[in-house]
Amino acid sequence: MYITCLDMEGVIAPEIWIEFSKVSGIPELSRTTRDEPDYDKLMKWRIGILKDHGLTLKDIQNTIAKIDPLPGAKEFLDELRSMSQTIVLSDTFEEFAGPILKKLGMPTVFCNSLEVDEKGFIVSHKMRCPQSKLTTVKALQSIGYETIAFGDSYNDLGMIQASKVGFLFRTTDKIKADYPEIPAFTEYSDLLAAIKEVLKK
């Protein structure tokens, strides 16, 4: 039996930090895991920038409330979930994901959490487990599942490479060039067709 695991931001939803970068006028916050493979380093850097600019969790949540899924993402996810058990594995946070997930029909998501002080400032991030995407895929495999995985960033490569079948979706030219052995797609219809072929076997 297969379980399909996918990333959220950049795949079925816009990158939250990029959207917040635009709203806040802080271009540095547009840096994502497509640019920085070390997620812990990236988050500590982001938290420092937020503190320097006096921005709270609520400021980010106000932006998130206005973010819609990527065009076609809801229909894609509905069809995918009709074909395969599906889990969204994301390095985003419970405090971020809710409004977007509601617009996507509340798929199952495994993500992380934030520590916030009494004034609403983010002080640290709590990862669900080390290398959460890869660890989750291996755990699913340990209880008898085969996994299909896809994503767009460096932090998705572990789960993609560990899965029976993995794909890149709307990734960067650099990641495609560095990992030419991983099939890469830009359209939901092509990705669905590839997944259907796997599920037939």
Side-chain angles (χ1 to χ4, degrees), residues 22-151:
K22 294 173 187 173
V23 170
S24 65
I26 305 171
E28 297 92 334
L29 286 175
S30 65
R31 191 168 176 80
T32 72
T33 48
R34 290 180 171 197
D35 312 299
E36 173 53 69
D38 186 331
Y39 190 73
D40 187 61
K41 178 181 175 183
L42 179 63
M43 274 307 302
K44 287 177 179 175
W45 182 74
R46 286 167 168 168
I47 290 168
I49 291 173
L50 294 174
K51 184 177 180 182
D52 289 346
H53 287 82
L55 295 166
T56 65
L57 172 61
K58 188 65 179 172
D59 293 316
I60 302 173
Q61 289 174 328
N62 288 340
T63 296
I64 294 169
K66 299 170 186 172
I67 295 175
D68 288 324
L70 292 172
K74 171 71 164 56
E75 295 77 10
F76 163 76
L77 199 54
D78 287 347
E79 186 165 353
L80 180 61
R81 292 167 73 189
S82 75
M83 294 160 36
S84 167
Q85 296 294 316
T86 302
I87 301 173
V88 178
L89 301 183
S90 177
D91 278 341
T92 192
F93 306 98
E94 294 174 359
E95 295 83 358
F96 285 9
I100 296 172
L101 293 173
K102 284 181 183 177
K103 295 174 184 179
L104 287 165
M106 292 305 292
T108 299
V109 63
F110 294 174
C111 60
N112 305 305
S113 61
L114 293 167
E115 184 178 336
V116 181
D117 68 16
E118 67 279 357
K119 295 181 180 178
F121 290 99
I122 300 170
V123 294
S124 67
H125 64 289
K126 296 180 181 179
M127 301 300 284
R128 184 170 49 82
C129 58
Q131 293 185 289
S132 58
K133 297 181 184 187
L134 174 59
T135 301
T136 301
V137 160
K138 287 185 172 179
L140 291 168
Q141 292 166 351
S142 76
I143 56 172
Y145 288 97
E146 297 281 12
T147 56
I148 301 168
F150 58 94

